[in-house]
Amino acid sequence: MASPALPRQVLLPALIVISAGLASLALGLLYLQHRFPHEDAYILFRYARNLAEGHGIAFNPGGPPAEGATDFLWMVTLAALHALGLDVAVAAVAVNALGTALCAGLLLSAVPLRELEPRRHWHLLLTPGVLLVTTAATAAYVGFSSMFYGGVALLTYRLFTARSERVRLLVPVAGLLLALVRPDGVVIGVGMTLLALVRAPQGQRGRFVRVMGACALGGAVYFVWRATYFGELLPLPLYVKSHAPSPLPGLGENLAWLSQLAAPLLVFLAAALLFLSRDRLAEVTPFLLGLAPFALHIALLSLGVPSQNIAMRFQAPALLALLLVLQLLLARPTSAPDGGPSRLAFLVALVCACLPQAWLLRDTLVRAPSDPYMDRFSFELGRRLDRGTVVALTEAGRMPFWTEARVVDLVGLNTRETARKPPTAASLRELNPDLVMFHHDWTLDVSGVRSGPGQDVVAVTEPLRELVLPRYRPLLTASGSSYDELLRRPCEAGAAGGHRVPQPDARGVRHLPRALPPGVRARVRHQEGAGAARGRPAPAPGGP
């Protein structure tokens, strides 16, 4: 005879999971209603749209293959939904909402529902609320794959910690999916697979090795395909992020993540472990062991330049894993006299862990400009440029998304030549672009040329080199054949060690609408609203 409490034990978790997904979807759509996706999110959106429209995995429609979109499975998923008619930005919100629901379900899987009294079920309602303010959710709202990626990472972790040996056979499969979502997911996926192999009973290891071998073969086939298709062993962003002025360029970002976001969780988890009984500690041990691949992943992030790490999304899988361990300990709280931490202590831990993440959420979403000029300008300019126009720029998100013009990424995230070698004045002359746009990265002093306070558009009539700050001027005459050679120049390592500093010549350069070449300027001048992008809102990111 079924227990009368069983329906509630099934319906309550299901309701929480669905609520988490719907809340994430609502918040993401609400953000798109009033804001625009992040600059770097537009890059992958362009790849997904081009793939959906039959151009292959290419940054430019009709151009050569390029692997500037490192989130392969995420890009393919968005492309498939876009081909079905869904706006690419809305598709990103929807897939991340599924990732949020997956994370909520995995967090609840750590709760032994049958062993809890009905009056204690209320604390499960904290799960969706926590997920919605994590840094992974913050990055997801602005267009990145963080909740989808975090959900697959958490799935891999939860499969490893499962008691069933048959369930643990799926760890290599989940690890392969994780590597297909993001290339750095290989670290977590391989690490978790090797730990699962060690944990497998002697009689089951042969079967596990066969599953692991099949997944390794699948990963090798994918690697060979992508190396052949793109002509590069690694995605272009990995080459770009390897150009660093120091051996551990990402260490500072990791330390900031540890001190500001992970520290409250780690402190309370360490304190909780001190109160656990020996039997309870043995039950938690697989979860603690499974944190090792996440720790290794964080350590390896120190080796690359932490660019595009919006809301510290690269560290999101580790943070979600820590939340799962906290949920595990919260599931069976005991009073202090019984030898365990109280429920109140865990609630305090949860609040302390959420506060800094909620603060980052506020800074990223609420305080973001609601009427950004560059979004409207990018749309107005982009729709006036055709495929015959050549644009060279450093910010490869908003501007390229709204145009079919041929775009050369001077940073190298989407262009093979500049990913390996820095652009020079000679290479720009050979390219002969119709339009050059770049972020000065605070290497210029334009205080004397602004037409007034708060002006977004300024005209620069004197040679641009005169505005370069003295400490960056050695880069103007640099002609190094590699980024490493440029990094050795006697100047400060701002502007990513010179990676994003263009090589201007002596002619004057005019910014924004006034920088248009004669042919493009004529087309803009004769269209309604030319030069007035400030007054017209851009449409949804799916297209005009």
Side-chain angles (χ1 to χ4, degrees):
M1 181 175 178
S3 169
L6 183 59
R8 180 172 185 176
Q9 292 172 349
V10 173
L11 292 178
L12 181 60
L15 178 62
I16 294 174
V17 169
I18 294 174
S19 299
L22 291 178
S24 174
L25 179 65
L27 289 174
L29 293 177
L30 182 64
Y31 177 83
L32 288 181
Q33 184 70 25
H34 300 282
R35 303 287 194 273
F36 294 91
H38 191 274
E39 162 71 20
D40 293 331
Y42 276 109
I43 297 177
L44 189 138
F45 289 172
R46 179 175 168 101
Y47 279 98
R49 185 183 62 190
N50 287 342
L51 179 59
E53 295 176 355
H55 300 297
I57 306 176
F59 186 60
N60 291 307
E67 196 176 12
T70 56
D71 303 30
F72 177 77
L73 196 57
W74 167 256
M75 175 194 63
V76 171
T77 303
L78 296 190
L81 293 175
H82 186 59
L84 295 175
L86 194 62
D87 181 278
V88 65
V90 175
V93 170
V95 178
N96 271 319
L98 292 177
T100 302
L102 175 61
C103 288
L106 293 170
L107 288 178
L108 292 180
S109 70
V111 178
L113 295 175
R114 293 181 180 274
E115 299 179 18
L116 287 177
E117 299 176 9
R119 61 186 177 85
R120 288 184 172 181
H121 282 166
W122 64 268
H123 81 275
L124 301 181
L125 298 175
L126 297 174
T127 302
V130 170
L131 288 174
L132 295 175
V133 299
T134 58
T135 55
T138 299
Y141 298 144
V142 299
F144 295 103
S145 64
S146 49
M147 283 307 300
F148 177 67
Y149 175 51
V152 180
L154 207 59
L155 174 63
T156 309
Y157 178 49
R158 193 64 187 93
L159 291 174
F160 166 76
T161 58
R163 294 182 180 181
S164 172
E165 298 169 4
R166 291 187 176 183
V167 172
R168 293 202 297 271
L169 285 174
L170 296 175
V171 171
V173 179
L176 176 60
L177 291 176
L178 186 61
L180 291 176
V181 176
R182 281 191 56 85
D184 53 309
V186 172
V187 178
I188 301 174
V190 172
M192 210 71 72
T193 299
L194 294 178
L195 288 178
L197 175 62
V198 174
R199 193 184 176 201
Q202 192 68 33
Q204 291 288 331
R205 287 189 180 179
R207 189 177 181 185
F208 189 91
V209 168
R210 289 193 292 272
V211 175
M212 186 172 64
C215 293
L217 179 61
V221 170
Y222 166 74
F223 183 83
V224 171
W225 168 80
R226 57 154 303 282
T228 304
Y229 184 80
F230 297 110
E232 296 285 349
L233 291 178
L234 298 174
L236 296 179
L238 298 188
Y239 290 112
V240 173
K241 294 175 183 180
S242 67
H243 307 315
S246 63
L248 298 173
L251 180 60
E253 190 109 345
N254 276 337
L255 292 178
W257 174 78
L258 283 170
S259 61
Q260 299 172 18
L261 299 177
L265 279 171
L266 293 173
V267 169
F268 279 101
L269 290 178
L273 292 175
L274 296 177
F275 291 95
L276 294 182
S277 64
R278 182 174 299 179
D279 293 340
R280 185 77 172 110
L281 184 59
E283 183 181 348
V284 176
T285 297
F287 290 85
L288 300 179
L289 182 62
L291 293 176
F294 295 101
L296 178 60
H297 177 249
I298 293 294
L300 292 179
L301 289 177
S302 299
L303 300 178
V305 176
S307 60
Q308 301 179 302
N309 191 17
I310 310 305
M312 296 190 177
R313 63 189 179 101
F314 297 158
Q315 292 88 354
L319 197 63
L320 292 174
L322 290 176
L323 284 175
L324 191 146
V325 178
L326 183 64
Q327 179 78 352
L328 172 68
L329 297 178
L330 179 62
R332 295 183 185 175
T334 57
S335 61
D338 293 332
S342 66
R343 181 183 300 278
L344 178 61
F346 283 116
L347 294 179
V348 171
L350 205 60
V351 171
C352 291
C354 290
L355 282 179
Q357 298 188 69
W359 193 266
L360 183 59
L361 176 70
R362 186 203 67 158
D363 286 346
T364 304
L365 304 184
V366 180
R367 299 181 64 180
S370 59
D371 196 23
Y373 165 64
M374 279 307 303
D375 285 285
R376 296 191 308 279
F377 170 72
S378 298
F379 168 71
E380 292 293 340
L381 176 62
R383 68 175 184 165
R384 291 169 169 84
L385 306 180
D386 54 34
R387 291 195 183 184
T389 306
V390 179
V391 181
L393 44 68
T394 59
E395 308 308 297
R398 294 176 176 89
M399 183 63 64
F401 182 84
W402 296 113
T403 182
E404 291 189 346
R406 178 194 169 196
V407 177
V408 177
D409 183 0
L410 297 178
V411 176
L413 293 172
N414 307 282
T415 301
R416 181 186 304 178
E417 293 77 12
T418 51
R420 297 295 190 92
K421 296 182 179 181
T424 62
S427 63
L428 284 178
R429 291 192 188 98
E430 182 179 357
L431 178 65
N432 192 27
D434 298 297
L435 180 63
V436 178
M437 304 186 69
F438 61 90
H439 192 295
H440 62 83
D441 212 3
W442 296 276
T443 60
L444 304 180
D445 180 10
V446 295
S447 58
V449 297
R450 290 191 179 278
S451 56
Q455 294 295 319
D456 292 313
V457 181
V458 298
V460 179
T461 55
E462 64 264 36
L464 188 61
R465 66 174 68 246
E466 301 300 327
L467 301 179
V468 177
L469 294 173
R471 61 180 177 272
Y472 294 112
R473 290 183 182 178
L475 291 174
L476 295 178
T477 57
S479 58
S481 59
S482 68
Y483 287 107
D484 292 336
E485 186 175 343
L486 284 181
L487 291 174
R488 292 193 292 267
R489 294 282 168 174
C491 63
E492 292 186 10
H499 189 179
R500 297 177 60 178
V501 180
Q503 307 294 321
D505 56 22
R507 292 175 297 177
V509 177
R510 295 175 181 269
H511 283 266
L512 303 182
R514 307 180 193 186
L516 300 180
V520 178
R521 188 184 302 121
R523 293 202 297 272
V524 173
R525 186 177 292 124
H526 287 90
Q527 293 193 43
E528 182 180 1
R534 183 183 295 275
R536 297 185 60 179

